[in-house]
Amino acid sequence: MTKRHQAKYKIDRRMGQNIWGRPKSPINKREYGPGQHGQRRKGKLSDYGVQLRAKQKLKGYYANMSERHFRGIYDEARRLKGDTGAHMIALLERRLDTMIYRAKFVPTVFAARQFISHGHIKVNGKRVTVASFRVKIGDVIEVKEKSKQLALVLEANAQLIARRFPDLAFAIVTPDGAALEGAPLNGPRAMAFDARGDMYLVLREGNAVYRIDMRARIIHHIAGTGTNGYSGDGGPAVQAQLSGPKGIAIAPDGGVFIDDTESHTVRRIDPRTGVIDTVVGNGTRGDGPDGTPRSCLLARPHGIFIDAAGGIYIADSENHKIRLLKE
């Protein structure tokens, strides 16, 4: 296991994501990479690049784990029967430092490792000083009585935000054409129904949209590749990249409108051709101006509603506004 001596928030800026969901992360205000060339438009990642980015993000999330230790966990997960990615996450989540971070004994995963190594944690009544100690079902984890009033512990207890998990390239995939019962869903966030009674479901972490045939009880993939991004306008929606979609609505003509939250846009899927296009925003975060829809910038839209007359109401979340689009 290695220590990370550099500024930890640089991981956020290099990955382009607030990995730990912390309010002080610089990526919340500067959504571009570090350095003098950070604002230059980056090219599309190759398949290898997407996988490498996911691995680096996961290593950083778990307190900058060393390559050797990370590889050992992967090899162990691969030997288990079933989905290797799911087993790997399960093994990482059973680490003692992850457990006490999730339990909010400490404010950061880096603090969790130090907290353990300094002897502040007991497992089943015995002091444990190894951060990679693997927790089993039924184990009792507690902070030593003398350590409960440490400033670090009090700070963590005051934090009300959830400990979020980063988006990963190998996250759960929902198979196209799968039976509804038992189908895996990666972060279902919002749903809407069309005139036939079919359900449309957006997966925030899955970066995809599915239509559920409620009569046949079958799931159909209609948009998103599963990889976080903003691309594909003018082409098939299933080949387009979405970026953390969080809202969906169905128009009277069957058009599917999606709040593509992290790309700061609203996008529409044509019901006849399956082609996707951006209808509000251009991929840049901002606040208006009102007028031409494509020139009206949004800031992480979270909700969308269409009335009987076809008026489209957009919850422009971080601008604290409701915007109306009339087709």
Coordinates of all heavy atoms in Angstrom, one line a residue, residues 54 63 144 154 219 231 244 296:
A54 N -11.1 4.3 -15.9 CA -11.9 3.6 -14.9 C -11.0 3.0 -13.8 O -11.3 3.1 -12.6 CB -12.8 2.6 -15.5
A63 N -8.3 5.4 -1.8 CA -7.1 6.0 -1.1 C -5.8 5.7 -1.9 O -4.7 5.5 -1.3 CB -7.0 5.5 0.3
K144 N -12.4 3.1 19.4 CA -12.0 3.1 20.8 C -12.7 4.2 21.6 O -12.8 5.3 21.1 CB -10.5 3.1 21.0 CG -9.8 1.9 20.5 CD -8.3 2.1 20.5 CE -7.8 2.4 21.9 NZ -6.3 2.6 21.9
L154 N -15.5 13.8 15.3 CA -16.6 14.8 15.4 C -16.9 15.5 14.1 O -18.1 15.7 13.8 CB -16.3 15.8 16.5 CG -16.1 15.3 17.9 CD1 -15.6 16.4 18.8 CD2 -17.3 14.7 18.4
I219 N -37.2 -5.5 -21.2 CA -36.5 -4.3 -21.2 C -35.8 -4.1 -22.6 O -35.1 -5.0 -23.0 CB -35.5 -4.2 -20.1 CG1 -36.1 -4.3 -18.7 CG2 -34.6 -2.9 -20.1 CD1 -35.2 -4.3 -17.6
S231 N -22.1 13.0 -26.7 CA -21.8 12.9 -28.2 C -23.0 12.1 -28.8 O -23.9 11.6 -28.1 CB -20.5 12.0 -28.4 OG -20.7 10.7 -28.0
G244 N -24.8 11.2 -17.1 CA -25.5 11.3 -15.8 C -27.0 11.7 -16.0 O -27.4 12.6 -15.2
C296 N -29.4 28.7 -25.0 CA -29.8 28.9 -23.6 C -29.0 27.9 -22.7 O -29.3 26.7 -22.8 CB -31.3 28.7 -23.4 SG -31.8 28.9 -21.7

